[in-house]
Amino acid sequence: MRGLPHEAGGRALRRGRAFDLPGIGTIYAPNITPDSETGIGRYTDAQFDSAVRRGVGPGWRHLYPVMPYASYVKMTEEDVRAIRAYLMSLRPVHAPAPANQVRFPYNIRVAMIGWNLLYRPSGPLPDDPGRTAAWNRGRYLVEAAGHCGECHTPRTMLQALSMTKSYAGAMIDGWLAYNISSDVDSGIGAWSDTQLAAYLSTGHADGRGTAVGPMADVVSHSLRFLTPEDVAAMVTYLRSLPARRSDETIGVVSPETLAQLAPIHSNGERLFAGACTGCHLTDGHGRQVDFAALWGARSLGETDGRNLVRTMVEGGTLQTAHGAMVMPAFGPEYRNQDLADIANYAISHFGNREGHVTARDVAAARGGVSP
Amino acid sequence: MLTLQVNGTAHQVDVPDDMPLLWVLRDVLGLPGTKFGCGIGQCGACTVHVDGKAVRACSLPVSLVGRRPVTTIEGLAEDEVAAEVTKAWLEIDVVQCGYCQPGQIMAAIALLKGNLHPSDDEIDQAMSGNICRCGTYRRIRAAIRNVAGAV
């Protein structure tokens, strides 16, 4: 899921976040409050359903698949109607969406007719009678409503989700959406059911780290409100995804091992002790809260530190049942090389790998450009 | 309503779940010995002990404390390690302005309770997250070494 496209946080769904699509342009998620001019106030149930599940708005306006209608088409008509009923109960806000900036030939919206013929599934997935009710419910939540594959599955040249690499992980907005297939080395095959359920419902699992970036938004605004039964159903289905091996393998170093590591007296270690140990203890535990526990975190096993550097530069917020858990952003008081040193220390200490983060990577993350 | 064990006493507090422990200690329980510094776990001025471990009270939602005992600088009057640390602090006159010192002392006591004879590396590791704008770091380290030598 791409964070929260219509901003259901403080500014309540009125104006969209921007999606930067390399080589294509910038697309803005529109107002979906009940405002009659700039929102969905005048949509009928049929028009709303068509936009959400067919990707065709009123006046035969073809939506771009940034709106994940290719996943939502698998939702039931009743659920989409229920979503509209909820949205119509919100306070209308008058706020036109900024104009999309889309390059040729992607700016030809009718081209989406052809894309839809090729890639949009025809409708809801019928329940598989050979599987349990929990598996079928989990499939519905993962494939349709949750649209997990929209970020976690790599895209083909034509921006369709790859069938052969389903859930094998993909880059999106400069973040690596991890491999969530059942592969033991590079997916979630080694996670326990308890860890998966904890991660989905709270954003943190002991020994697996804490959600940051777009996934923190997904947990903050969506997944943590699921019932325990639905979370368990998602776990059941995710477990059944075919294993897809990818380059990013997972390594877990236990707190017992971390506590025994001798100091290495590097610049990164020294800076980590001053700037990070207020919350992240070097034995991998969180000082105040478990949400700050770093042992087993995937971002610290990635040797190029993409997600780690983004998190250091942008900070992060995860909404929880105990309030917001906040990681402050590193500001200009730290040089690019300092942040690279901290990242490489953290990767070597917590991930037992040699980090390859450079000052250039940090500069690119600070500039908001992909390196 | 939450029950909080602070300095050996159970307190009933009627506060929001996400209120930081520091706010509860200072504004609800009237224990101002623990100081507010940065509010984001970066400076260590608000260090207290939760279950014997040094934590930053500004970044700990009170609802996550649970039944673990909380000790603030006010709760150490009878503590032997605390008495040694206080003595060592006074002997070489560690303090300058003093604002960060409750946090420094709480961090030092937590270190010494887990490890009575810490190496310089271990002292640096444990104390690095506690900032002192007067720059009393060398005297803090010396005082901790003196305690380690004395016991």
Side-chain angles (χ1 to χ4, degrees):
Chain A
M1 202 185 287
R2 292 172 194 180
L4 193 74
H6 307 275
E7 292 200 7
R11 282 180 289 162
L13 304 167
R14 68 180 171 188
R15 190 161 55 97
R17 57 177 276 194
F19 291 90
D20 291 316
L21 307 174
I24 296 177
T26 305
I27 294 175
Y28 296 89
N31 184 346
I32 54 166
T33 72
D35 183 58
S36 58
E37 280 175 41
T38 60
I40 58 162
R42 288 191 195 149
Y43 283 39
T44 62
D45 260 340
Q47 285 174 325
F48 185 78
D49 188 76
S50 170
V52 171
R53 294 202 299 157
R54 320 295 305 173
V56 182
W60 293 97
R61 187 178 162 83
H62 281 266
L63 307 185
Y64 290 107
V66 168
M67 165 69 179
Y69 59 84
S71 293
Y72 292 159
V73 66
K74 300 172 197 163
M75 291 177 73
T76 62
E77 191 182 343
E78 300 77 61
D79 279 359
V80 173
R81 197 172 289 186
I83 290 170
R84 175 169 177 268
Y86 166 69
L87 290 174
M88 292 303 287
S89 75
L90 301 175
R91 192 171 61 84
V93 179
H94 185 88
N100 294 331
Q101 291 147 5
V102 183
R103 285 188 201 116
F104 181 84
Y106 304 100
N107 57 352
I108 306 169
R109 278 185 183 261
V110 287
M112 293 316 303
I113 295 172
W115 192 89
N116 290 341
L117 283 171
L118 286 171
Y119 299 119
R120 185 182 64 194
S122 52
L125 300 162
D127 273 0
D128 180 344
R131 300 281 197 160
T132 62
W135 184 90
N136 279 299
R137 175 68 179 163
R139 183 179 64 164
Y140 181 75
L141 292 167
V142 169
E143 300 284 351
H147 60 285
C148 307
E150 298 278 341
C151 288
H152 290 280
T153 294
R155 287 178 187 270
T156 63
M157 291 280 288
L158 285 172
Q159 297 293 309
L161 298 179
S162 164
M163 306 287 276
T164 53
K165 293 183 190 157
S166 53
Y167 298 102
M171 288 302 293
I172 181 144
D173 281 349
W175 291 88
L176 178 61
Y178 294 118
N179 183 335
I180 56 167
S181 78
S182 58
D183 188 65
V184 174
D185 296 318
S186 50
I188 53 166
W191 292 42
S192 70
D193 285 358
T194 313
Q195 285 176 325
L196 266 177
Y199 196 89
L200 291 171
S201 55
T202 69
H204 171 82
D206 283 340
R208 302 294 176 189
T210 299
V212 291
M215 190 64 193
D217 287 341
V218 172
V219 173
S220 294
H221 302 294
S222 173
L223 295 179
R224 72 190 176 104
F225 301 110
L226 291 181
T227 63
E229 293 74 31
D230 277 350
V231 171
M234 286 181 78
V235 172
T236 302
Y237 178 72
L238 288 169
R239 285 255 175 263
S240 75
L241 294 173
R244 311 281 193 208
R245 205 179 157 76
S246 57
D247 294 340
E248 303 292 342
T249 57
I250 298 172
V252 176
V253 184
S254 72
E256 292 72 32
T257 305
L258 291 172
Q260 302 299 319
L261 295 179
I264 56 171
H265 302 284
S266 67
N267 184 46
E269 180 188 61
R270 189 178 56 79
L271 289 170
F272 187 95
C276 310
T277 57
C279 298
H280 306 289
L281 296 174
T282 49
D283 67 3
H285 289 301
R287 185 189 287 274
Q288 284 75 238
V289 295
D290 290 339
F291 293 96
L294 293 180
W295 74 283
R298 271 171 124 166
S299 55
L300 297 165
E302 264 184 273
T303 55
D304 56 7
R306 280 171 290 201
N307 290 5
L308 173 59
V309 170
R310 281 289 289 269
T311 306
M312 291 168 72
V313 166
E314 294 176 16
T317 300
L318 178 71
Q319 299 293 338
T320 76
H322 303 278
M325 297 295 151
V326 178
M327 152 100 184
F330 283 82
E333 63 276 21
Y334 290 89
R335 296 173 304 144
N336 293 336
Q337 187 60 52
D338 286 337
L339 294 195
D341 289 349
I342 295 174
N344 287 326
Y345 162 73
I347 291 166
S348 82
H349 181 81
F350 295 102
N352 193 26
R353 290 170 187 187
E354 193 181 342
H356 302 297
V357 180
T358 64
R360 268 179 75 102
D361 296 338
V362 176
R366 282 179 153 168
V369 207
S370 300
Chain B
M1 199 69 108
L2 290 169
T3 304
L4 211 54
Q5 294 284 338
V6 180
N7 298 336
T9 310
H11 296 270
Q12 298 280 321
V13 290
D14 185 11
V15 295
D17 277 0
D18 62 347
M19 182 182 271
L21 175 62
L22 178 61
W23 271 241
V24 181
L25 293 173
R26 290 180 58 89
D27 295 353
V28 179
L29 299 180
L31 295 167
T34 309
K35 303 304 181 194
F36 175 87
C38 66
I40 54 169
Q42 291 281 287
C43 77
C46 65
T47 304
V48 299
H49 296 170
V50 174
D51 215 6
K53 296 197 169 67
V55 309
R56 316 300 185 219
C58 73
S59 305
L60 174 56
V62 65
S63 57
L64 283 173
V65 176
R67 295 178 177 184
R68 294 177 294 167
V70 178
T71 307
T72 70
I73 191 126
E74 290 96 338
L76 290 168
E78 311 290 318
D79 190 276
E80 286 177 22
V81 176
E84 291 294 328
V85 168
T86 311
K87 209 169 103 197
W89 243 247
L90 290 171
E91 262 169 16
I92 60 167
D93 214 1
V94 169
V95 178
Q96 190 167 317
C97 92
Y99 193 81
C100 71
Q101 295 294 327
Q104 302 282 3
I105 289 169
M106 295 306 281
I109 292 170
L111 165 68
L112 289 161
K113 286 197 167 184
N115 178 1
L116 259 182
H117 300 284
S119 65
D120 282 356
D121 274 342
E122 287 165 336
I123 295 175
D124 287 349
Q125 183 67 48
M127 303 301 294
S128 283
N130 288 75
I131 291 173
C132 171
R133 288 299 80 172
C134 304
T136 62
Y137 301 111
R138 285 173 179 280
R139 293 203 296 274
I140 289 170
R141 195 206 258 197
I144 294 173
R145 275 207 211 103
N146 289 347
V147 176
V151 292

